[in-house]
Amino acid sequence: MADSLVIVESPAKAKTIGKYLGSKFIVKASMGHIRDLPKSQIGVEINNNFEPKYITIRGKGSILKELKDARKKVKKVYLAADPDREGEAIAWHLAHYLELDETETCRVVFNEITKQAVKDAFKTPRKINLDLVNAQQARRILDRLVGYKISPLLWKKVKKGLSAGRVQSVAVKLVYDRENEIKAFVPEEYWSITARLLAGTTEFEAKFHSLKGEKKELSNQQEVDEILAGVAKSEFTINEVKEKERQRNPSPPFITSSLQQEAARKLNFRASKTMSVAQQLYEGIDLGSEGTVGLITYMRTDSTRISPVAQEEAKEFIQQKYGEAYYPETPRVYLKKAANAQDAHEAIRPSSVLREPDQMKDHLSRDQLRLYKLVWERFVASQMSSAVLDTMTVDITAGDTIFRAVGSKMKFPGFMKVYVEGNDDGTTEEDKLLPPMKPGDKVKKQQIDPKQHFTQPPPRYTEARLVRALEEMGIGRPSTYAPTLETIQKRGYVAIDEKKFIPTELGELVIQQMIEYFPEILDVEFTAQMEGELDQVEEGKEDWVKVLATFYESFEKRLEVAEEEMEKIEIQDEVSDEICEKCGRHLVYKMGRFGKFLACSGFPECRNTKPIVKDIGVTCPNCKEGKIIERRSKKGRIFYGCDQYPGCDFVSWDKPVDRPCPKCASMMIEKRNKNGTFHQCIQCDFKEEQQEKE
């Protein structure tokens, strides 16, 4: 007969924990939060110390009745929601609903869902941490004040359905500012000169470095022609050879933001997908004979700390699998990445390094396996020895000119045997070996290749870059990144083009109004300072009501000024030349979640809409009559299809190219990899030579 009730958030977590605890425990799921602020009103008594007015979330009635009935049958209740602010708040709300004593030791937390971790947690239950609860309440109320006070103003002055948010507005402004930087960017010309040289029978490349002993940047063709004339008849002689050994250290184990960034780079996962799959791995996977096990530690963390037990297990595993040389002399300890890191949990790591990814293939879905492999490899590599590379720098003289060749070779792979961190540019560090050379050697000139370049504007934000920017600026916390990126897309403030964020016209309009009337909300330093004060609440060093009162004092004044001075903006629909095929009126351009689309000007009487078609200038290879056009899926992803649809069902995720394959005459498509773009046939194995990535 069960004598204890355990409440967690999800059925998957309940199932895993129930197997570990046995028949004396009833394990139920609350399905997340059970109470929240009402959607229909602000739900905060501002003049009564910001007292929140919580209501039961609609649809939770049957779940709450089930929990209350189970409560009557047991002597003890344990609240085992996730080990963060949200989890603490869920536990607090449950304690209120079930009328538990706040001084009771009813809270259990664990960083990983394994049998030992869960059993250890139940040996040391604690009271609900009211500082954590107050920190969550303060954030929720602060976001409610910003959202529910500014949004109605935007509805009245700009357009219905708009919203503003404390973190989301900063994210949109970053995208908006970057787009303005790109528009204002003036490209500057520069040149490079590459010499292809032969040492013995080995060809290698050297780049122009300096002239008459001084390093020189080449800015125009005249300077290049002078260099070319000077080396045209010159011998190429080895002037100096420098060889040295350098070490490369591993990256720390994952925190939430770095996991999202690396999953975007290597797995092409959106931040929301990364967190969803990570949640599944954390809550538990059925491993057959081993039962259900949580495969990774908690995935919302800003700490790179590793438990001594996990570190010791990693040490034994690395030494046994790779050899003694692959483990450093002393265990690796990683410092906090940021001064405001809370360090409340461990880094994201496998719950046991002994569960190698290859052993998990039969138990995990493709996405689960790929993410687990990423976490496992990153953790193992983080505990391994440094890689050792031999580098070689060779200066070659030709008259008054010096060309430089740089190469390296792996001397000892260390952690790179398991994993190497990606980067946002998609490039990787590769060995480039140089032939043996010594000062005085002559090398033969094969070809001199001058090339014109232009400086590039700063890149648009990908999800990975935007998460990194928010983290570096101290905006938001691990749990906020994924939902923030989702929100700004759903609101139609940003769109995604080639996996990069661009501001929509609507987003630009809202940000311009916010900049003028609510500059503090968009100010990075101010927002980061607010995050710091909320963290102080969590640590029990600040009173949450005082923090809110200080913020609201100046915010209220801003609201009054905006209410009086913000002019109403009439957004006129741009009329197109196209006629609605249903009612004969003109179609107008509208702004939606994924950019502009066409809608009937007779709305709401006529609700006809159609996408804006972008012809890419390629004839359909299927029907030979239609044109290939760019379309967007329901989720906003670009694809390519025939304009004769549904008569022709040709479709491609890859962009078709306007010329046939030279080998079989089939259609070519544009593909992209770490080195840039290239063209590939859809039928045969023909692949066009890589196009250089500037």
Side-chain angles (χ1 to χ4, degrees):
M1 178 81 179
D3 58 13
S4 296
L5 170 65
V6 181
I7 304 176
V8 296
E9 300 101 310
S10 73
K13 191 173 174 183
K15 181 181 176 183
T16 306
I17 292 171
K19 288 183 177 180
Y20 296 155
L21 295 178
S23 59
K24 289 189 176 182
F25 293 82
I26 301 171
V27 185
K28 298 281 185 182
S30 70
M31 306 301 290
H33 277 278
I34 61 164
R35 296 197 305 174
D36 197 6
L37 299 172
K39 290 184 178 180
S40 59
Q41 54 181 282
I42 192 167
V44 179
E45 295 181 16
I46 296 170
N47 296 323
N48 185 24
N49 290 328
F50 300 94
E51 183 71 25
K53 296 190 290 184
Y54 292 115
I55 61 168
T56 301
I57 295 173
R58 182 176 295 179
K60 290 293 181 87
S62 59
I63 295 170
L64 292 173
K65 184 178 184 305
E66 186 180 338
L67 294 177
K68 210 152 204 177
D69 290 344
R71 165 76 178 96
K72 294 172 183 176
K73 298 174 184 177
V74 298
K75 298 177 182 177
K76 180 74 175 176
V77 176
Y78 292 101
L79 306 172
D82 286 347
D84 58 11
R85 282 186 299 263
E86 289 294 319
E88 206 70 19
I90 289 172
W92 180 72
H93 285 301
L94 283 166
H96 271 259
Y97 180 76
L98 298 175
E99 298 177 351
L100 302 182
D101 186 346
E102 280 191 8
T103 63
E104 193 174 335
T105 53
C106 61
R107 180 80 168 110
V108 288
V109 292
F110 28 80
N111 192 49
E112 60 186 70
I113 303 179
T114 58
K115 191 170 186 177
Q116 191 59 49
V118 170
K119 290 201 165 187
D120 287 347
F122 276 84
K123 290 176 185 175
T124 56
R126 61 167 173 79
K127 299 174 187 176
I128 291 174
N129 185 329
L130 293 179
D131 289 332
L132 283 176
V133 173
N134 288 335
Q136 190 275 342
Q137 281 196 118
R139 286 175 186 277
R140 187 78 183 92
I141 293 169
L142 182 60
D143 290 339
R144 177 58 67 104
L145 292 174
V146 172
Y148 275 56
K149 288 291 187 178
I150 298 180
S151 297
L153 189 62
L154 293 175
W155 299 350
K156 186 162 55 173
K157 303 287 188 176
V158 184
K159 181 184 176 183
K160 279 195 174 181
L162 299 182
S163 74
R166 189 172 56 90
V167 176
Q168 77 177 50
S169 296
V170 177
V172 176
K173 186 172 185 293
L174 290 175
V175 175
Y176 169 80
D177 287 345
R178 179 56 53 89
E179 198 65 21
N180 286 338
E181 287 179 56
I182 293 169
K183 289 175 182 176
F185 182 80
V186 179
E188 293 181 7
E189 179 185 13
Y190 71 99
W191 287 71
S192 65
I193 305 175
T194 303
R196 285 170 51 199
L197 306 170
L198 196 66
T201 59
T202 305
E203 187 177 282
F204 66 99
E205 289 186 351
K207 292 192 178 290
F208 168 78
H209 180 264
S210 53
L211 181 66
K212 296 179 180 178
E214 292 186 9
K215 185 168 172 57
K216 181 174 177 61
E217 303 292 338
L218 302 175
S219 57
N220 56 61
Q221 188 166 359
Q222 182 181 343
E223 292 178 347
V224 172
D225 290 342
E226 290 173 2
I227 300 292
L228 296 178
V231 302
K233 297 180 180 180
S234 300
E235 283 190 319
F236 282 71
T237 306
I238 305 301
N239 181 55
E240 185 178 23
V241 179
K242 292 180 182 177
E243 294 184 79
K244 65 178 180 179
E245 182 181 282
R246 74 177 180 90
Q247 289 193 342
R248 183 175 174 186
N249 297 323
S251 301
F254 282 130
I255 59 176
T256 303
S257 58
S258 58
L259 175 64
Q260 291 175 2
Q261 292 167 56
E262 193 73 339
R265 297 182 193 114
K266 292 194 171 182
L267 309 181
N268 200 26
F269 281 9
R270 303 284 296 276
S272 55
K273 181 175 181 176
T274 298
M275 298 309 289
S276 174
V277 177
Q279 184 87 32
Q280 296 163 19
L281 295 174
Y282 165 69
E283 291 188 341
I285 302 293
D286 187 351
L287 300 182
S289 59
E290 193 178 350
T292 304
V293 179
L295 292 183
I296 65 171
T297 52
Y298 193 53
M299 62 284 158
R300 292 184 180 89
T301 178
D302 56 11
S303 172
T304 53
R305 178 170 49 81
I306 295 295
S307 75
V309 173
Q311 205 157 36
E312 185 61 30
E313 185 183 65
K315 175 182 178 180
E316 292 176 8
F317 174 83
I318 292 165
Q319 290 176 334
Q320 184 175 351
K321 187 174 180 70
Y322 303 108
E324 297 279 344
Y326 283 86
Y327 193 79
E329 292 182 6
T330 57
R332 292 193 180 277
V333 177
Y334 295 93
L335 301 175
K336 289 182 183 181
K337 188 169 183 180
N340 58 3
Q342 295 299 289
D343 203 39
H345 316 297
E346 281 190 68
I348 304 169
R349 61 167 176 82
S351 54
S352 173
V353 75
L354 302 180
R355 295 191 189 94
E356 298 181 58
D358 284 346
Q359 300 169 2
M360 301 291 107
K361 284 181 179 177
D362 295 337
H363 308 290
L364 302 177
S365 69
R366 179 174 180 268
D367 287 341
Q368 288 172 341
L369 180 61
R370 293 170 75 203
L371 192 65
Y372 179 70
K373 185 172 185 285
L374 195 66
V375 172
W376 187 91
E377 289 178 346
R378 174 81 165 224
F379 170 66
V380 172
S382 77
Q383 303 302 300
M384 294 176 72
S385 299
S386 301
V388 181
L389 297 94
D390 280 336
T391 62
M392 187 175 180
T393 303
V394 181
D395 284 351
I396 304 131
T397 59
D400 293 332
T401 305
I402 290 182
F403 286 78
R404 176 167 288 180
V406 178
S408 66
K409 65 178 180 179
M410 186 71 71
K411 186 175 183 180
F412 175 67
F415 75 92
M416 295 176 75
K417 190 177 183 70
V418 175
Y419 168 90
V420 179
E421 184 177 30
N423 63 62
D424 291 327
D425 299 318
T427 56
T428 57
E429 184 172 309
E430 297 175 355
D431 286 355
K432 187 169 70 174
L433 299 176
L434 296 177
M437 290 175 277
K438 62 182 186 296
D441 286 354
K442 304 291 184 185
V443 290
K444 187 177 179 181
K445 176 177 65 176
Q446 298 287 91
Q447 184 177 331
I448 303 293
D449 180 24
K451 192 163 186 179
Q452 182 186 37
H453 308 268
F454 290 93
T455 55
Q456 298 296 307
R460 289 189 174 110
Y461 286 108
T462 58
E463 279 206 349
R465 281 194 177 108
L466 190 52
V467 166
R468 186 175 69 185
L470 290 169
E471 180 196 22
E472 288 175 349
M473 293 173 181
I475 308 298
R477 287 297 177 260
S479 61
T480 65
Y481 299 132
T484 295
L485 300 188
E486 288 287 302
T487 298
I488 62 177
Q489 292 171 70
K490 285 180 180 178
R491 299 293 185 192
Y493 296 155
V494 299
I496 291 183
D497 183 23
E498 295 185 348
K499 299 180 182 177
K500 298 180 179 70
F501 286 116
I502 54 174
T504 63
E505 291 176 24
L506 183 62
E508 291 183 359
L509 188 60
V510 170
I511 289 301
Q512 286 163 4
Q513 296 300 309
M514 293 283 289
I515 288 171
E516 184 172 355
Y517 294 101
F518 301 99
E520 291 95 342
I521 302 297
L522 298 180
D523 183 74
V524 168
E525 289 186 11
F526 177 82
T527 307
Q529 179 187 330
M530 282 301 305
E531 293 286 2
E533 290 181 16
L534 292 168
D535 289 340
Q536 293 282 304
V537 173
E538 183 170 327
E539 295 169 20
K541 297 176 181 177
E542 278 279 7
D543 178 71
W544 69 279
V545 174
K546 182 181 176 183
V547 169
L548 291 176
T550 302
F551 165 80
Y552 194 74
E553 184 179 357
S554 60
F555 179 64
E556 188 176 31
K557 293 174 183 175
R558 289 282 186 189
L559 282 168
E560 291 172 359
V561 172
E563 185 71 47
E564 290 181 13
E565 298 182 5
M566 188 185 289
E567 295 181 4
K568 184 169 177 59
I569 298 172
E570 295 290 343
I571 302 178
Q572 298 292 336
D573 292 326
E574 183 184 348
V575 180
S576 75
D577 294 329
E578 294 196 46
I579 302 298
C580 176
E581 59 269 28
K582 291 187 177 180
C583 72
R585 297 182 178 96
H586 276 278
L587 297 179
V588 295
Y589 292 101
K590 293 280 189 181
M591 181 61 67
R593 277 178 62 189
F594 306 118
K596 284 185 174 181
F597 65 95
L598 287 167
C600 183
S601 57
F603 180 87
E605 291 85 6
C606 178
R607 295 177 176 268
N608 184 31
T609 64
K610 59 192 298 186
I612 296 173
V613 172
K614 182 180 178 182
D615 185 348
I616 66 169
V618 178
T619 301
C620 176
N622 208 4
C623 67
K624 312 296 183 184
E625 295 180 0
K627 295 289 186 183
I628 300 299
I629 58 174
E630 181 181 294
R631 296 181 179 274
R632 283 187 184 271
S633 69
K634 289 182 179 179
K635 293 188 176 180
R637 184 178 173 188
I638 291 175
F639 70 97
Y640 302 90
C642 180
D643 67 356
Q644 299 299 306
Y645 177 85
C648 177
D649 61 359
F650 173 81
V651 67
S652 171
W653 288 114
D654 298 302
K655 186 177 182 179
V657 178
D658 186 26
R659 54 193 178 83
C661 171
K663 189 173 179 181
C664 71
S666 297
M667 190 180 81
M668 300 268 283
I669 55 174
E670 185 178 287
K671 302 286 281 185
R672 187 182 299 271
N673 65 11
K674 64 187 180 185
N675 297 316
T677 58
F678 62 96
H679 296 159
Q680 180 177 305
C681 179
I682 62 171
Q683 293 292 341
C684 70
D685 59 357
F686 178 79
K687 184 184 291 187
E688 195 173 51
E689 184 179 349
Q690 302 284 331
Q691 300 172 6
E692 184 182 343
K693 182 178 177 182
E694 290 286 325

